[in-house]
Amino acid sequence: MMGISSLVSKTDSIYKNTSIAPLIIFRIIFGALMLFGISRFLYKGWVQQLYIDPQYHFGYYGFEWVNPLEGSLMYIPFVLMIVASIFIIVGFLYRYSAFVFFICFTYVELLDKTNYLNHYYFVSLMSFLMVLVPANRYFSIDAMLWTRIKRTTTQQWHIGILKFQLAVVYIFAGIAKLNSDWLLDAQPLKTWLQAHHNIPVVGGLLQEEWVAYVFSWFGCGYDLFIVFFLLGRKYRKYAYVFVVVFHFITWCLFPIGVFPWVMIFSTIIFFSIEFHEIVLNWFLKLFKQSALVVEDVKSIDKRKLTLYFVSLYVVIQLLVPFRYVLYSGDLFWNEEGYRFSWRVMLMHKEGYATFYLVDSKTGRESEINNAKFLTRTQEDQMATQPDMILQYAQILKNHYDGKTLHYGNSHFKINNPEIHARIYVSLNGRRSQLFVDKKHDLTTLKYDLKHRNWVEPFKK
Amino acid sequence: MIKNLFKYLVVIIAFVSITAGCKKPAVETPDFDKAELLGNVAANIVLPSLNDFDAKLSALKLSFEVFEADRTLANLEVVRIDWKATYSSWQTIKIFDFGPVLVNGFKGSTGTFPSDTTQIQSNISNGGYNLASASNVDAIGLSALDYLLYQPTALDDFVNNTSYTVYTSELIEKIINELTVVNSAWTSYRSTFIASTGTETTSAFSLLINEFNKDYELSKNAKLGIPLGKQSLGIQLPEYIEARNSAYSFDLLRHSMISLQGLYNGDINSSSGSGVGFHEYLIHLERSDLANDINSKFNSIIAKIDSFQNSFEIEMASNQSELDELYNLIQQQVVNLKTDMTSAFGVLITYQDNDGD
């Protein structure tokens, strides 16, 4: 495959300079997408709903110290992101702006794994990469104010690493689809598509089984190969039509927010330098500036450290999605090594979790009303994800430990309570199966990254 | 090489489309239409139930007026019978806590239990109450009528205390007035409801599924679990029993389960999926195993309820293990409805963006 190798492995060429136009255009696109995405997030009232309203948050392993800001202060990172994305668009204090955006976005994402989305992870990574690349060296306020930074060229890897990141998203999303539910049963698409049978004209087709198979196989093939078609000059135009059509369809059918637009616009970076220069010159003309004249593209600035760092990043990106092989058991069922691996629109999981508070002294038990502690979304996510189940058990234990409960004329001083749960989960249209047996005291189970043998085995 | 890849892809897609398309042409299931389901629910379940509730309420109002004019035990018994019929009819309405019912807070004001008898008594003796205020939500509705009509000195209070009678008639009047608003709103909401077949959380179909599940769980918890002590370390809480004074609790639980099963079957009188409902949708999705399990579980639940001879309160004191069995049956059905059925329909329950995990 020419794809990946042309992006990363030719160590000589990654230092070779190239026209800065693609980087500049990408800076503007990225900033504009983020401005739109964050504004939409605010407009939908999600800051309140996801970060202010919930009483508890499900932190990531090792990042439990990341806590939300008090009440309305939680809007601060979002306002900062709005400002930062405007600054990114116009290239003002670019590196600081990109850094502020990266920190704020990642901070918000680390608050609660309930809200984990692959495309949020993608934005975190992209904004991190944007800090590394000098996308303000042309057509920016920075370059106007500090003319010494102005360049018409940039190093290959500055653009290559962005293409690499997009390639990783697509290719790993494709690899993730190479499983029997997706390919042989057309699940979960069979379930999701038929739900749209009232769409005019095409609705009837969407409840046909063969359509689900076509969507599944096409989606898989698209994810696996689209990058290679985008890289080659010959098929790029047709490939991009596929990109637009594919993401437009997903936008119509599934509630995946701005992600389709992020991909449609981000993949423009695969276009030729000439294309980017035409667009950039159009912008320049708009602002009555002279057209870009690219200087000699000779090789400069060979820094070993950069090479090591970029290589390390690439290796991590290539390994992390495969970490699931370290775990035994079913990946979709146990979700060990599931996140941060580009498993997008891959499964439909629904759970019903009944938690029990057990007073160890008397052996008496109470069913917990989950709605008293969690939001609807948190409860839904928790019910199917083992790590969150343990976190919730801990939340319950901390809540009840030391409390005196009064019922009628009886009262119970709760000390060191046990928390049990009986959980059923349905995966990709199957009948639900026992997920967690009531016999375990969840408070005694270790919350770590080891294989969780207390989750009932999955029966196909 | 890329050209070959492209060709290869086209061949795969073509191959899969053809083979998958030809797989079982003979057993082609007929298309299912959610719009038809919603139309059926509106025309044959929601609107007739509202009319039925309206008729039962009118009868209650009428018999109460007769009783007001001539306050005898015989006349009070007629009021009680009409109240029971009204409360039973309510078990269907309370499922539809969206659209006009939700907007007008009808479920809360009519169906909240248990009642705060101290609040009711203080309203009656002090007067000057505002039945619409939030502080009186536990002093109104069908559950408050259970207390007013059935508490041990009810007849004496009706005979001797005008405020007691006035309060009772005001409660009936309040439900009638609110129902009039809901009824007329449903007439115009009907077309919105039927047209809203999308998959987004605000679509009528999603609302219907969600409220169906919520109401089922509410019946499980409020009518059964909480009084049985399921949420209070096993300490029974008889003060939480629904319709405790009239000892009508089992009937209400039974009506609630029958209504939910009727909605599931798309026909309020059916236990076999004779209308266009969730049952038929599941059959269309080739999930007849699940569909039949749901109906047989409903049947077992109702049979179990029918097996109790005494009032809920008496059974609770003497026969907890049988009630536990009933509770377990009802709980097992939650998995069928909330997890398996809901996921089979591909209904999304989160408001946020989603990437399918």
Side-chain angles (χ1 to χ4, degrees), chain A residues 49-51 54 56-60 108-118 120 339 374-385 387-388 391-392 395, chain B residues 350 352-355 357:
Chain A
Q49 202 181 324
L50 302 183
Y51 297 107
Y56 300 97
H57 290 282
F58 291 85
Y60 287 90
V108 169
E109 289 324 306
L110 284 175
L111 288 174
D112 197 334
K113 63 173 77 147
T114 307
N115 309 318
Y116 173 80
L117 288 184
N118 284 294
Y120 290 154
R339 298 187 194 99
L374 305 179
T375 65
R376 177 88 190 256
T377 315
Q378 286 178 320
E379 188 183 345
D380 287 337
Q381 294 289 323
M382 179 277 296
T384 63
Q385 298 178 37
D387 54 345
M388 295 177 77
Q391 285 176 290
Y392 181 47
I395 288 172
Chain B
T350 42
Q352 289 92 39
D353 293 342
N354 175 299
D355 66 4
D357 43 36

Side-chain angles (χ1 to χ4, degrees), chain B residues 204-217:
Chain B
F205 188 76
S206 301
L207 289 175
L208 185 64
I209 287 281
N210 283 329
E211 291 309 318
F212 172 81
N213 279 312
K214 252 165 77 180
D215 191 62
Y216 184 88
E217 281 201 273

Side-chain angles (χ1 to χ4, degrees), chain B residues 149-220:
Chain B
L149 297 176
Y150 284 93
Q151 54 95 0
T153 62
L155 184 59
D156 286 349
D157 287 338
F158 276 122
V159 173
N160 302 323
N161 185 351
T162 320
S163 322
Y164 193 92
T165 314
V166 169
Y167 191 79
T168 307
S169 103
E170 280 178 4
L171 292 193
I172 299 171
E173 204 61 45
K174 180 170 162 52
I175 304 174
I176 290 175
N177 292 340
E178 287 173 2
L179 178 64
T180 311
V181 175
V182 169
N183 245 334
S184 76
W186 244 101
T187 321
S188 53
Y189 175 72
R190 183 181 178 173
S191 55
T192 317
F193 178 77
I194 294 170
S196 179
T197 52
T199 56
E200 67 279 7
T201 28
T202 49
S203 73
F205 188 76
S206 301
L207 289 175
L208 185 64
I209 287 281
N210 283 329
E211 291 309 318
F212 172 81
N213 279 312
K214 252 165 77 180
D215 191 62
Y216 184 88
E217 281 201 273
L218 184 68
S219 285
K220 164 181 128 357

Side-chain angles (χ1 to χ4, degrees), chain A residues 332-335 347-353 378-389 423-426 435, chain B residues 339 357:
Chain A
F332 288 5
W333 189 250
N334 295 327
E335 296 199 43
M347 64 177 181
H348 190 76
K349 224 174 169 187
E350 205 99 46
Y352 172 55
Q378 286 178 320
E379 188 183 345
D380 287 337
Q381 294 289 323
M382 179 277 296
T384 63
Q385 298 178 37
D387 54 345
M388 295 177 77
I389 289 167
I423 304 176
Y424 288 90
V425 166
S426 147
F435 190 62
Chain B
T339 310
D357 43 36

Side-chain angles (χ1 to χ4, degrees), chain B residues 27 63-64 88 97 112 131 183 186:
Chain B
V27 286
S63 58
F64 192 74
S88 301
D97 192 20
T112 301
L131 293 180
N183 245 334
W186 244 101

